[in-house]
């Protein structure tokens, strides 16, 4: 029988995780360490936080902080994955504006608290969006979905639930992965390990290493998978490789936890980008899915997302939901109403839905055009190296292969901001800024080693 984590046990798990920074197989320390410092009550005239060390900025969101401080007129922010138009402006989708108008004009709408699990319509429609409208899991009531605070909140609620109720406390995350994954799972009380994912030599998937690492994971371990548009590498398994991964994971009873932060952004098609998840759900096994509407509906700051847990029976699904409520209530009580109302308005209206798919495709296509333009610009400059990965990679980011020093050089000399691992957000580029970026990359690789 599993009982809830006692606070002592949780603290000891945390201190174990937090004092030893995770070192991956390539010797990189992950940024999942968080420093706890005791406060002092001895000197009555100084602050109780006098000894508090200054924390570093977040490796991704901190890039925007640095960018905002730069007065240069040519500065360019390719750090955070946020879509920009050709004019370099943030985009509010037309369908979102229309849905907001409908909501504002509907006088019957009120601002009461939502239930702990969020807006019922939103939850049903979100499960359909990722699993498919005709999914047997949905028809059989095997899925429980709760509205959460975007992708991050969905991952965290899922992680807290697993730490309390699942017999295996180890989660395998890809190396590399989105920088927040390690912290989210560690702070929830899980033990984070990595599996090989990216091969820097081929700039492609290390399928052999991946299968070996998951093959030697303990039975029942949780495995974090990016549903599509892997961040930061832009490298996804092919459908055949997904099938190999699925077979291995099911044979070892590994529990899939999908992070779906970019549905529609990889291929431009919502169904195409959900294929990996649907493959795992079709086999009848259990599965966790964290969904975000930040990117595909451009609802970044509205914090709209969902956690779905696919169970083996309808009865288990309802019990899981009852426990999710106990996770959510003391964290933030219940989720915000506005963003989820926008999403459900769009998802349930045939015309709005159709228009959304077109706007989404246009965003995905613009990113693909930027890949082509950057690739051509580097070729035109004769920049040393094979840059074909720029057009091969998928989704919002290009994992350029530029090293930390080259990134620092580009920021210093060209005012181009990106994460120190060489990831650039292609969605932040425009035809106007491509030449500036290509000049910077050319200068970086020809002068900095
Ligand atoms: N999962 C992955 C793989 C992500 O890349 C991101 C966002 C999230 C989850 C969480 O998104 P949400 O909570 O806003 O829904 N990654 C961004 C932003 C776009 C960030 O770091 O917060 C990035 O630049 O990597």
């Amino acid at each position: 029988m599993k009982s809830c984590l006692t606070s002592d046990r949780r603290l000891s798990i945390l201190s174990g995780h937090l004092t030893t920074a995770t070192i991956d197989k390539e010797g990189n320390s992950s940024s999942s360490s968080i420093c706890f410092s005791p406060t002092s009550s001895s000197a009555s005239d100084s602050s109780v936080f006098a000894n508090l060390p200054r924390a570093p900025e977040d490796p991704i969101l901190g890039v925007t902080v640095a960018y905002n401080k730069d007065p240069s007129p040519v500065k360019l922010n390719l750090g955070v994955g946020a879509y920009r138009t050709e004019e370099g402006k943030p985009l509010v989708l037309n369908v979102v504006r229309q849905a907001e108008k409908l909501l504002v004009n509907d006088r019957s709408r009120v601002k009461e608290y939502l239930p702990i699990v969020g807006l019922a319509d939103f939850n049903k429609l979100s499960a359909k969006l990722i699993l498919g409208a005709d999914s047997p899991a949905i028809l059989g009531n095997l899925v429980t979905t709760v509205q959460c605070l975007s992708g991050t909140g969905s991952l965290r609620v899922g992680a807290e639930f697993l730490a309390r109720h699942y017999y295996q406390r180890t989660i395998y995350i890809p190396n590399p992965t989105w920088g927040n994954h390690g912290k989210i799972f560690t702070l929830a009380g899980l033990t984070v390990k990595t599996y090989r994912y990216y091969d820097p030599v081929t700039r492609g998937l290390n399928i052999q290493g991946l299968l070996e690492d998951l093959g030697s994971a303990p039975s029942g371990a949780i495995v974090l998978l990016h549903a599509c548009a892997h961040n930061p590498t832009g490298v996804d398994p092919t459908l055949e490789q997904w099938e190999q991964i699925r077979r291995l994971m099911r044979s070892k009873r590994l529990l899939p936890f999908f992070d779906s932060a970019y549905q529609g952004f990889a291929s431009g098609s919502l169904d195409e980008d959900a294929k990996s998840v649907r493959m795992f759900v079709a086999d009848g096994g259990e599965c966790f899915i964290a969904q975000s509407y930040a990117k595909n509906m451009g609802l970044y700051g509205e914090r709209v997302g969902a956690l779905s847990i696919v169970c083996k029976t309808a009865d288990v699904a309802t019990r899981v939901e009852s426990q999710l409520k106990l996770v959510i209530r003391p964290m933030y009580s219940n989720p915000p109403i506005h963003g989820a109302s926008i999403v459900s308005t769009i998802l349930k209206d045939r015309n709005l839905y159709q228009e959304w798919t077109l706007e989404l495709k246009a965003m995905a296509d613009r990113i693909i055009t930027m890949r082509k333009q950057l690739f051509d610009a580097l070729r035109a400059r004769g920049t040393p190296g094979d840059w074909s990965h720029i057009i091969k990679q998928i989704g919002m980011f290009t994992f350029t292969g530029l090293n930390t020093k080259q990134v620092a050089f580009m920021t210093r000399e060209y005012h181009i901001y990106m994460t120190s691992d060489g990831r650039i957000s292609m969605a932040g580029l425009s035809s106007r800024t491509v030449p500036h970026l290509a000049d910077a990359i050319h200068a970086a690789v020809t002068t900095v080693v």
Side-chain angles (χ1 to χ4, degrees), residues 45-341:
D45 56 343
S46 74
S47 166
V48 290
F49 300 114
N51 294 328
L52 190 70
R54 186 169 304 281
E57 289 286 359
D58 180 81
I60 297 176
L61 301 184
V63 174
T64 303
V65 175
Y67 167 84
N68 287 338
K69 286 186 192 152
D70 186 338
S72 167
V74 299
K75 67 180 178 175
L76 182 56
N77 187 4
L78 304 177
V80 68
Y83 185 83
R84 296 285 176 267
T85 61
E86 261 295 289
E87 292 70 46
K89 298 269 187 303
L91 179 68
V92 179
L93 298 188
N94 215 351
V95 277
V96 168
R97 296 255 191 239
Q98 289 181 55
E100 285 190 311
K101 271 199 201 119
L102 291 172
L103 294 172
V104 168
N105 292 336
D106 181 352
R107 303 294 297 180
S108 70
R109 299 194 79 88
V110 289
K111 302 286 187 188
E112 292 289 286
Y113 290 130
L114 284 180
I116 297 174
V117 295
L119 199 62
D121 267 0
F122 168 86
N123 288 337
K124 279 203 207 94
L125 294 161
S126 294
K128 274 191 187 173
L129 185 68
I130 189 71
L131 301 179
D134 51 358
S135 162
I138 295 178
L139 300 175
N141 295 320
L142 306 182
V143 189
T144 178
T145 305
V146 291
Q147 180 193 332
C148 297
L149 305 185
S150 214
T152 308
S154 308
L155 290 165
R156 183 65 188 261
V157 168
E160 294 280 338
F161 172 85
L162 287 165
R164 281 190 212 181
H165 301 292
Y166 187 54
Y167 73 99
Q168 254 292 0
R169 297 235 156 66
T170 303
I171 182 161
Y172 283 76
I173 63 175
N175 178 27
T177 192
W178 177 48
N180 217 13
H181 279 146
K183 298 173 211 177
I184 291 169
F185 294 117
T186 302
L187 284 168
L190 298 172
T191 299
V192 174
K193 293 203 170 135
T194 61
Y195 63 87
R196 279 172 284 171
Y197 188 85
Y198 179 72
D199 182 348
V201 177
T202 62
R203 294 202 169 114
L205 183 69
N206 181 355
I207 183 71
Q208 214 47 47
L210 180 153
L211 294 172
E212 271 169 36
D213 289 349
L214 296 189
S216 50
S219 171
I222 310 154
V223 179
L224 190 279
L225 301 160
H226 294 228
C228 69
H230 182 275
N231 175 9
T233 65
V235 173
D236 285 347
T238 61
L239 284 181
E240 290 71 34
Q241 289 167 333
W242 273 121
E243 181 52 23
Q244 280 180 288
I245 298 167
R246 188 195 64 78
R247 250 189 268 132
L248 172 73
M249 284 183 56
R250 290 309 193 195
S251 73
K252 293 212 59 189
R253 302 181 161 277
L254 302 176
L255 181 64
F257 194 151
F258 277 99
D259 183 353
S260 177
Y262 298 95
Q263 189 184 354
F265 249 80
S267 67
S269 152
L270 288 157
D271 288 323
E272 195 62 33
D273 289 356
K275 277 191 171 159
S276 57
V277 176
R278 291 178 191 177
M279 203 182 250
F280 276 74
V281 175
D283 69 15
E286 274 151 326
C287 182
F288 280 54
I289 308 144
Q291 273 170 280
S292 167
Y293 290 96
K295 272 69 72 171
N296 58 13
M297 263 192 212
L299 292 174
Y300 305 89
E302 294 289 355
R303 312 308 293 144
V304 208
L307 170 71
S308 284
I309 304 180
V310 182
C311 306
K312 293 236 177 178
T313 70
D315 176 50
V316 170
T318 58
R319 278 184 278 146
V320 166
E321 178 164 319
S322 72
Q323 289 293 343
L324 286 171
K325 289 202 236 175
L326 299 192
V327 171
I328 292 167
R329 172 67 167 147
M331 276 215 267
Y332 53 86
S333 190
N334 49 71
I337 195 167
H338 187 65
S341 304

Side-chain angles (χ1 to χ4, degrees), residues 4-76:
C4 292
L5 281 180
T6 64
S7 53
D8 275 2
R9 168 139 191 274
R10 181 172 284 231
L11 278 179
S12 80
I13 292 173
L14 280 182
S15 59
H17 288 307
L18 298 172
T19 46
T20 49
T22 323
I23 307 290
D24 65 35
K25 291 199 165 83
E26 271 140 31
N28 304 311
S29 78
S30 89
S31 47
S32 62
S33 60
I34 289 176
C35 157
F36 285 126
S37 46
T39 56
S40 151
S41 59
S42 56
S44 58
D45 56 343
S46 74
S47 166
V48 290
F49 300 114
N51 294 328
L52 190 70
R54 186 169 304 281
E57 289 286 359
D58 180 81
I60 297 176
L61 301 184
V63 174
T64 303
V65 175
Y67 167 84
N68 287 338
K69 286 186 192 152
D70 186 338
S72 167
V74 299
K75 67 180 178 175
L76 182 56

